[in-house]
Amino acid sequence: MLTLAEIAEEPLVLTHHLDLSSGARVVFRPLTHADCERLACFLEGLSPESRRLSTFGGYGIVAARELCDAIARYDKLRLVLEEVPSSRIVGLLELGLALTPSDIARYGEAGIDLTELTDCRFGPTLADDYQGRGVGTLALPLIRDVARRLGRTRIILWGGVLADNARAIRYYEKNGFRPVGAFVGTNGSLSLDMMLDLRPMP
Ligand SMILES: CC(C)(COP(=O)(O)OP(=O)(O)OC[C@H]1O[C@@H](n2cnc3c(N)ncnc32)[C@H](O)[C@@H]1OP(=O)(O)O)[C@@H](O)C(=O)NCCC(=O)NCCS
């Protein structure tokens, strides 16, 4: 089973090329310390609507530095999509390997016992000009593979998905996530929990 330290030491173990239907190409790879400024550009470039749909602690160099400083230090793996040949970061795909008490409580109410070592959380964010082009769907098999290599058998949504985020809900549904329940978040917005089971069907 891969560890976060091994990935940080050898990011190539999770590096792949994705060819988009437009003919463009992006690289899927772990975030590295060298990405700090490019990640800041990605965060700064997110529109107010994207920031509403996918919330980060900040949208500039300070937040980018925090994310890069966290590499292999905590329980999170961050992957980026890098445009070729510009090297611009056009997507940030986050996998959280620890569960929160509120995740565990909400899923428990829905009759699902989350398990710290075999469940993980997923949160994708694409640059505005990369949304709705099928990139998220192309990247999902790679995310599934990464999760499996980290010993995970189920993926839940990181903080749920806002109930009015129709594109994201369609994206999750068409890629095998099933709705689990609804909840009102700390900001008063209705969100949905969804889960993807990576185990083969019996
Ligand atoms: C959510 C996100 C990662 C999905 O990735 P993506 O590459 O845009 O998704 P895809 O293009 O692969 O699939 C989107 C699907 O939604 C459909 N769609 C697009 N806009 C839609 C809308 N307004 N309502 C319903 N469906 C919509 C697309 O047609 C496509 O479905 P189809 O293939 O059946 O036609 C990306 O859009 C994103 O980063 N959004 C902003 C941040 C965000 O919402 N993150 C998720 C937080 S939970």
Side-chain angles (χ1 to χ4, degrees):
M1 196 167 78
L2 267 181
T3 66
L4 297 184
E6 286 166 348
I7 295 167
E9 199 163 308
E10 188 42 277
L12 278 176
V13 294
L14 296 184
T15 299
H16 298 270
H17 286 89
L18 292 175
D19 291 311
L20 315 190
S21 54
S22 61
R25 175 172 260 212
V26 296
V27 179
F28 170 101
R29 62 167 176 77
L31 180 72
T32 69
H33 292 284
D35 286 323
C36 191
E37 286 186 10
R38 280 178 297 176
L39 185 62
C41 289
F42 167 76
L43 292 170
E44 278 161 14
L46 290 174
S47 66
E49 178 64 356
S50 289
R51 294 178 189 200
R52 184 182 75 83
L53 299 174
S54 194
T55 309
F56 292 93
Y59 296 90
I61 189 71
V62 174
R65 200 170 290 129
E66 274 174 18
L67 297 181
C68 290
D69 284 348
I71 293 170
R73 289 182 62 197
Y74 304 110
D75 46 23
K76 298 180 177 66
L77 174 63
R78 295 188 168 91
L79 299 129
V80 293
L81 296 173
E82 178 187 323
E83 186 181 64
V84 177
S86 72
S87 297
R88 175 166 77 104
I89 289 180
V90 296
L92 177 61
L93 309 170
E94 302 187 281
L95 280 177
L97 302 185
L99 304 170
T100 67
S102 56
D103 287 336
I104 293 168
R106 288 199 315 274
Y107 279 77
E109 276 169 28
I112 296 168
D113 287 329
L114 292 183
T115 310
E116 184 81 25
L117 287 178
T118 52
D119 291 322
C120 64
R121 313 163 84 208
F122 173 51
T125 310
L126 302 182
D128 284 68
D129 59 330
Y130 269 76
Q131 294 171 16
R133 291 170 56 185
V135 182
T137 295
L138 270 181
L140 204 77
L142 299 176
I143 289 292
R144 296 166 71 119
D145 181 56
V146 173
R148 280 198 200 93
R149 291 173 73 179
L150 291 166
R152 310 291 147 154
T153 55
R154 294 187 300 194
I155 302 178
I156 64 169
L157 299 186
W158 189 312
V161 55
L162 287 172
D164 69 356
N165 192 350
R167 178 168 51 205
I169 292 169
R170 167 76 192 131
Y171 163 69
Y172 293 126
E173 277 176 345
K174 83 169 179 173
N175 286 294
F177 284 78
R178 67 178 173 93
V180 167
F183 67 99
V184 177
T186 45
N187 62 359
S189 304
L190 186 67
S191 294
L192 309 180
D193 280 316
M194 300 179 81
M195 171 180 257
L196 175 66
D197 202 325
L198 302 175
R199 293 168 294 194
M201 298 288 271

